[in-house]
Amino acid sequence: MFNQQIVAENFFLKDVNALRDSVKPYLTTEPPADPAPSIALLQTVLAAEIVCVLRYTMISVSQDGLQSAWIGTEFQEQANDERKHMAMAAARIQQLGGTPNFNPPGLASRAAGPGTYDGNFAKRVNENLEAEQSVIAHYRDLITYFAPRDAQTCAMLEDIIRDEEDHTSDMADLLGAYVS
Ligand SMILES: [Fe+2]
Ligand SMILES: [Fe+2]
């Protein structure tokens, strides 16, 4: 059954913000000798990227995406970027000796579940814009952590941020074109 509460809140943003909150203890502690904190931080990147892949794919095949080539193509391209980010984060976790978690807690109730897309395109895009901005802020926090410790992870995050900044510009363009 359609649940108004699900679409009334920006669950996408809430989800990203919860990921950011979850790593704050790591960001304020000194680096331990083992890679576990780095792996835990990267699991939040993987979780955020998985949600983005699902959400943008969902929008690309929504009625709006199917009826407008611009919307469909744009969101498919963004989903492809997010899939690349997902793979980068997972590979880095593996390289550090961890196991990428492709089934992070809460995934089942997250951004691409039933009732998430109610046809209100402008609202969804605005949610995406807010969440992308939060993702960028989160990754910048992580760069602060990784900068003195792990140049390779830093470079990876900087690459990803460049794409996310493009995504925010694209979302703003879409909003400008469709919300007026
Ligand atoms: Fe991404
Ligand atoms: Fe993005």
Side-chain angles (χ1 to χ4, degrees):
M1 180 168 163
F2 186 75
N3 185 339
Q4 284 291 345
Q5 190 62 33
I6 289 175
V7 296
E9 287 185 56
N10 188 344
F11 273 72
F12 187 23
L13 177 63
K14 202 171 157 187
D15 195 57
V16 171
N17 285 341
L19 287 170
R20 293 189 66 198
D21 288 343
S22 75
V23 304
K24 281 184 177 151
Y26 293 109
L27 297 174
T28 55
T29 51
E30 285 302 305
D34 69 75
S38 296
I39 291 167
L41 291 170
L42 287 167
Q43 296 285 17
T44 69
V45 175
L46 177 58
E49 299 296 343
I50 291 170
V51 171
C52 290
V53 171
L54 296 177
R55 184 178 175 95
Y56 297 162
T57 302
M58 172 189 72
I59 295 175
S60 76
V61 297
S62 67
Q63 281 302 312
D64 293 299
L66 294 174
Q67 285 166 11
S68 161
W70 185 25
I71 293 173
T73 303
E74 181 61 45
F75 277 94
Q76 193 53 60
E77 285 175 0
Q78 294 203 11
N80 291 343
D81 284 347
E82 309 298 10
R83 198 208 65 79
K84 183 182 72 180
H85 302 162
M86 180 183 75
M88 290 162 75
R92 191 67 188 133
I93 289 167
Q94 197 78 44
Q95 286 166 352
L96 292 173
T99 301
N101 184 1
F102 281 92
N103 188 24
L107 184 62
S109 60
R110 278 178 181 167
T116 307
Y117 198 86
D118 63 351
N120 188 338
F121 179 72
K123 185 169 185 290
R124 296 287 87 82
V125 175
N126 196 53
E127 289 174 353
N128 296 349
L129 183 56
E130 291 177 333
E132 287 278 347
Q133 289 165 339
S134 182
V135 163
I136 290 169
H138 178 46
Y139 293 175
R140 287 200 198 289
D141 288 344
L142 299 192
I143 283 175
T144 302
Y145 174 84
F146 282 110
R149 303 173 173 89
D150 180 347
Q152 189 174 335
T153 297
C154 256
M156 180 192 79
L157 290 167
E158 281 164 1
D159 278 352
I160 293 176
I161 284 176
R162 274 191 284 278
D163 284 344
E164 310 299 9
E165 285 172 340
D166 286 345
H167 295 168
T168 61
S169 302
D170 293 340
M171 298 288 181
D173 289 347
L174 281 164
L175 269 183
Y178 284 89
V179 186
S180 52

